[in-house]
Amino acid sequence: MSTRDEGRIRDAGFTNVTPLAQSITWQGLTITPRQGSHGVGPVVEKMGLVIGFMLEADGEPTVYWAGDTVLYPPVAETIREFSPDIIVTHSCGARWDGDLIVMDDKQTLEVSRLAPQATIVATHMEALDHATVTSQDLRQTAEASGLDPSRLLIPADGETLNLCR
């Protein structure tokens, strides 16, 4: 949430609202906002701004939740800068007016190449009507590329993952 959203969220009845304009630490968890983009080009004006999050806590794996973003330079920079242990991607290849607005299978595999030490957790498949990549599509693309299946987790609906360092 950015500071521009704070008023609207308070107006909806929420009282404990903290804008995330910079890193904050809450109960030992450091949350750092990271830039994201719902596509590139004119579609961004229609879709609005998005952010992802770095999550860091002592003794725990570092998690980068990329959010509703395509793979573009600021996302790659976050991966290089933080070298996260776990990267959560929205990998359904959703499109809006023909433009890619979140990662697809090819961009998800590129994330795995940028972070060869990381476990990728791909989400959002079969969740949106404008998605173009299914869980099966992503798994097939990963297998064809030779990606170790233990590095790409595609949780089933309702599945709980236990990710340790």
Side-chain angles (χ1 to χ4, degrees), residues 27-58:
Q27 297 188 4
L29 175 67
T30 300
I31 306 166
T32 304
R34 301 306 299 177
Q35 194 173 347
S37 185
H38 242 334
V40 293
V43 71
V44 175
E45 291 179 28
K46 295 176 190 174
M47 300 306 296
L49 300 173
V50 297
I51 60 173
F53 304 98
M54 284 301 309
L55 306 170
E56 300 170 284
D58 288 342

Short mmCIF file of all heavy atoms in Angstrom, two decimals, residues 27-58:
data_model
loop_
_atom_site.label_atom_id
_atom_site.label_comp_id
_atom_site.label_asym_id
_atom_site.label_seq_id
_atom_site.Cartn_x
_atom_site.Cartn_y
_atom_site.Cartn_z
N GLN A 27 7.50 -6.93 14.36
CA GLN A 27 7.67 -8.19 15.09
C GLN A 27 8.82 -9.03 14.52
O GLN A 27 8.69 -10.23 14.33
CB GLN A 27 6.36 -8.97 15.11
CG GLN A 27 5.26 -8.26 15.85
CD GLN A 27 4.02 -9.10 16.04
OE1 GLN A 27 3.97 -10.28 15.68
NE2 GLN A 27 2.99 -8.50 16.61
N GLY A 28 9.93 -8.37 14.21
CA GLY A 28 11.12 -9.07 13.72
C GLY A 28 11.13 -9.34 12.23
O GLY A 28 12.10 -9.91 11.71
N LEU A 29 10.09 -8.95 11.53
CA LEU A 29 10.00 -9.15 10.09
C LEU A 29 10.21 -7.82 9.39
O LEU A 29 9.47 -6.86 9.65
CB LEU A 29 8.63 -9.72 9.71
CG LEU A 29 8.33 -9.86 8.22
CD1 LEU A 29 9.23 -10.92 7.59
CD2 LEU A 29 6.86 -10.21 8.00
N THR A 30 11.22 -7.74 8.54
CA THR A 30 11.46 -6.53 7.76
C THR A 30 10.77 -6.68 6.42
O THR A 30 10.98 -7.67 5.71
CB THR A 30 12.96 -6.27 7.57
OG1 THR A 30 13.56 -6.12 8.86
CG2 THR A 30 13.21 -5.01 6.74
N ILE A 31 9.93 -5.71 6.11
CA ILE A 31 9.16 -5.69 4.87
C ILE A 31 9.64 -4.51 4.06
O ILE A 31 9.59 -3.37 4.52
CB ILE A 31 7.65 -5.56 5.15
CG1 ILE A 31 7.19 -6.66 6.11
CG2 ILE A 31 6.86 -5.58 3.84
CD1 ILE A 31 5.83 -6.42 6.72
N THR A 32 10.14 -4.78 2.86
CA THR A 32 10.67 -3.73 1.99
C THR A 32 9.87 -3.71 0.70
O THR A 32 9.81 -4.72 -0.01
CB THR A 32 12.16 -3.98 1.66
OG1 THR A 32 12.89 -4.09 2.89
CG2 THR A 32 12.74 -2.86 0.82
N PRO A 33 9.25 -2.58 0.37
CA PRO A 33 8.52 -2.51 -0.89
C PRO A 33 9.49 -2.53 -2.07
O PRO A 33 10.58 -1.97 -2.00
CB PRO A 33 7.77 -1.18 -0.81
CG PRO A 33 8.58 -0.34 0.11
CD PRO A 33 9.22 -1.29 1.08
N ARG A 34 9.09 -3.19 -3.13
CA ARG A 34 9.91 -3.26 -4.35
C ARG A 34 9.04 -2.92 -5.54
O ARG A 34 7.86 -3.30 -5.60
CB ARG A 34 10.52 -4.65 -4.52
CG ARG A 34 11.41 -5.11 -3.38
CD ARG A 34 12.51 -4.16 -3.02
NE ARG A 34 13.40 -3.97 -4.14
CZ ARG A 34 14.44 -3.14 -4.14
NH1 ARG A 34 14.70 -2.41 -3.09
NH2 ARG A 34 15.19 -3.02 -5.21
N GLN A 35 9.61 -2.25 -6.47
CA GLN A 35 8.89 -1.78 -7.65
C GLN A 35 8.38 -2.95 -8.50
O GLN A 35 9.05 -3.96 -8.65
CB GLN A 35 9.84 -0.91 -8.46
CG GLN A 35 9.19 -0.09 -9.52
CD GLN A 35 10.21 0.87 -10.16
OE1 GLN A 35 11.30 1.08 -9.66
NE2 GLN A 35 9.82 1.42 -11.29
N GLY A 36 7.19 -2.78 -9.05
CA GLY A 36 6.63 -3.74 -9.98
C GLY A 36 5.88 -3.00 -11.07
O GLY A 36 5.64 -1.79 -10.96
N SER A 37 5.51 -3.70 -12.12
CA SER A 37 4.79 -3.07 -13.22
C SER A 37 3.81 -4.04 -13.84
O SER A 37 4.19 -5.13 -14.26
CB SER A 37 5.77 -2.56 -14.29
OG SER A 37 5.07 -1.85 -15.28
N HIS A 38 2.55 -3.62 -13.89
CA HIS A 38 1.49 -4.39 -14.53
C HIS A 38 1.64 -4.23 -16.04
O HIS A 38 0.85 -3.54 -16.69
CB HIS A 38 0.14 -3.85 -14.09
CG HIS A 38 -0.72 -4.81 -13.34
ND1 HIS A 38 -0.64 -6.18 -13.48
CD2 HIS A 38 -1.71 -4.59 -12.45
CE1 HIS A 38 -1.54 -6.74 -12.70
NE2 HIS A 38 -2.20 -5.81 -12.07
N GLY A 39 2.68 -4.83 -16.59
CA GLY A 39 2.95 -4.72 -18.02
C GLY A 39 3.96 -3.63 -18.29
O GLY A 39 4.56 -3.07 -17.38
N VAL A 40 4.17 -3.37 -19.57
CA VAL A 40 5.04 -2.28 -20.01
C VAL A 40 4.30 -1.52 -21.10
O VAL A 40 3.45 -2.07 -21.80
CB VAL A 40 6.42 -2.79 -20.52
CG1 VAL A 40 7.23 -3.39 -19.38
CG2 VAL A 40 6.26 -3.80 -21.63
N GLY A 41 4.59 -0.25 -21.22
CA GLY A 41 3.93 0.56 -22.24
C GLY A 41 2.61 1.11 -21.77
O GLY A 41 2.35 1.24 -20.57
N PRO A 42 1.71 1.42 -22.70
CA PRO A 42 0.44 2.09 -22.38
C PRO A 42 -0.46 1.33 -21.41
O PRO A 42 -1.24 1.96 -20.69
CB PRO A 42 -0.24 2.23 -23.75
CG PRO A 42 0.86 2.17 -24.74
CD PRO A 42 1.91 1.27 -24.15
N VAL A 43 -0.38 0.02 -21.36
CA VAL A 43 -1.25 -0.74 -20.47
C VAL A 43 -1.04 -0.36 -19.01
O VAL A 43 -1.95 -0.45 -18.19
CB VAL A 43 -1.08 -2.27 -20.67
CG1 VAL A 43 0.26 -2.76 -20.13
CG2 VAL A 43 -2.23 -3.04 -20.05
N VAL A 44 0.16 0.11 -18.65
CA VAL A 44 0.45 0.48 -17.26
C VAL A 44 -0.47 1.61 -16.80
O VAL A 44 -0.92 1.62 -15.65
CB VAL A 44 1.94 0.87 -17.10
CG1 VAL A 44 2.23 1.37 -15.69
CG2 VAL A 44 2.83 -0.32 -17.43
N GLU A 45 -0.79 2.54 -17.69
CA GLU A 45 -1.69 3.64 -17.32
C GLU A 45 -3.08 3.09 -16.97
O GLU A 45 -3.74 3.61 -16.07
CB GLU A 45 -1.78 4.65 -18.45
CG GLU A 45 -0.50 5.43 -18.66
CD GLU A 45 -0.61 6.42 -19.81
OE1 GLU A 45 -1.72 6.89 -20.10
OE2 GLU A 45 0.45 6.71 -20.40
N LYS A 46 -3.52 2.06 -17.65
CA LYS A 46 -4.83 1.46 -17.37
C LYS A 46 -4.81 0.65 -16.08
O LYS A 46 -5.80 0.62 -15.35
CB LYS A 46 -5.24 0.54 -18.52
CG LYS A 46 -5.47 1.24 -19.82
CD LYS A 46 -5.77 0.21 -20.89
CE LYS A 46 -5.77 0.85 -22.27
NZ LYS A 46 -5.92 -0.15 -23.32
N MET A 47 -3.69 -0.05 -15.83
CA MET A 47 -3.63 -1.00 -14.73
C MET A 47 -3.23 -0.37 -13.40
O MET A 47 -3.52 -0.91 -12.35
CB MET A 47 -2.66 -2.13 -15.07
CG MET A 47 -3.04 -2.92 -16.30
SD MET A 47 -4.71 -3.59 -16.31
CE MET A 47 -4.64 -4.71 -14.95
N GLY A 48 -2.50 0.73 -13.42
CA GLY A 48 -2.07 1.37 -12.18
C GLY A 48 -0.78 0.79 -11.65
O GLY A 48 -0.23 -0.17 -12.18
N LEU A 49 -0.31 1.39 -10.57
CA LEU A 49 0.96 1.00 -9.97
C LEU A 49 0.79 -0.27 -9.14
O LEU A 49 -0.27 -0.52 -8.58
CB LEU A 49 1.48 2.12 -9.07
CG LEU A 49 1.75 3.46 -9.76
CD1 LEU A 49 2.09 4.52 -8.72
CD2 LEU A 49 2.85 3.31 -10.78
N VAL A 50 1.86 -1.05 -9.07
CA VAL A 50 1.89 -2.24 -8.21
C VAL A 50 3.23 -2.29 -7.50
O VAL A 50 4.20 -1.66 -7.94
CB VAL A 50 1.68 -3.56 -9.02
CG1 VAL A 50 0.31 -3.58 -9.66
CG2 VAL A 50 2.76 -3.75 -10.06
N ILE A 51 3.28 -3.01 -6.39
CA ILE A 51 4.54 -3.22 -5.70
C ILE A 51 4.66 -4.69 -5.32
O ILE A 51 3.66 -5.41 -5.24
CB ILE A 51 4.70 -2.35 -4.43
CG1 ILE A 51 3.59 -2.64 -3.41
CG2 ILE A 51 4.74 -0.88 -4.78
CD1 ILE A 51 3.79 -1.94 -2.07
N GLY A 52 5.89 -5.10 -5.12
CA GLY A 52 6.18 -6.40 -4.55
C GLY A 52 6.80 -6.17 -3.18
O GLY A 52 6.93 -5.02 -2.74
N PHE A 53 7.21 -7.24 -2.52
CA PHE A 53 7.75 -7.12 -1.17
C PHE A 53 8.94 -8.05 -0.97
O PHE A 53 8.88 -9.21 -1.38
CB PHE A 53 6.70 -7.49 -0.13
CG PHE A 53 5.45 -6.69 -0.24
CD1 PHE A 53 4.35 -7.20 -0.91
CD2 PHE A 53 5.36 -5.43 0.33
CE1 PHE A 53 3.18 -6.46 -1.03
CE2 PHE A 53 4.20 -4.69 0.21
CZ PHE A 53 3.11 -5.20 -0.46
N MET A 54 9.97 -7.55 -0.30
CA MET A 54 11.02 -8.40 0.24
C MET A 54 10.65 -8.64 1.69
O MET A 54 10.28 -7.70 2.41
CB MET A 54 12.38 -7.70 0.18
CG MET A 54 12.99 -7.66 -1.19
SD MET A 54 13.27 -9.27 -1.95
CE MET A 54 14.15 -10.14 -0.68
N LEU A 55 10.73 -9.88 2.13
CA LEU A 55 10.42 -10.26 3.50
C LEU A 55 11.66 -10.91 4.10
O LEU A 55 12.15 -11.92 3.57
CB LEU A 55 9.24 -11.24 3.52
CG LEU A 55 7.98 -10.76 2.80
CD1 LEU A 55 6.98 -11.89 2.67
CD2 LEU A 55 7.37 -9.57 3.51
N GLU A 56 12.17 -10.31 5.19
CA GLU A 56 13.40 -10.80 5.80
C GLU A 56 13.23 -10.90 7.31
O GLU A 56 12.73 -9.97 7.94
CB GLU A 56 14.56 -9.86 5.48
CG GLU A 56 14.82 -9.72 3.98
CD GLU A 56 15.80 -8.60 3.67
OE1 GLU A 56 15.37 -7.43 3.74
OE2 GLU A 56 16.96 -8.91 3.39
N ALA A 57 13.68 -12.02 7.88
CA ALA A 57 13.66 -12.24 9.32
C ALA A 57 14.85 -13.12 9.68
O ALA A 57 15.22 -14.02 8.91
CB ALA A 57 12.36 -12.89 9.77
N ASP A 58 15.45 -12.86 10.83
CA ASP A 58 16.61 -13.65 11.27
C ASP A 58 16.27 -15.13 11.30
O ASP A 58 15.23 -15.53 11.81
CB ASP A 58 17.06 -13.20 12.67
CG ASP A 58 17.75 -11.84 12.65
OD1 ASP A 58 18.18 -11.41 11.56
OD2 ASP A 58 17.84 -11.22 13.73
#
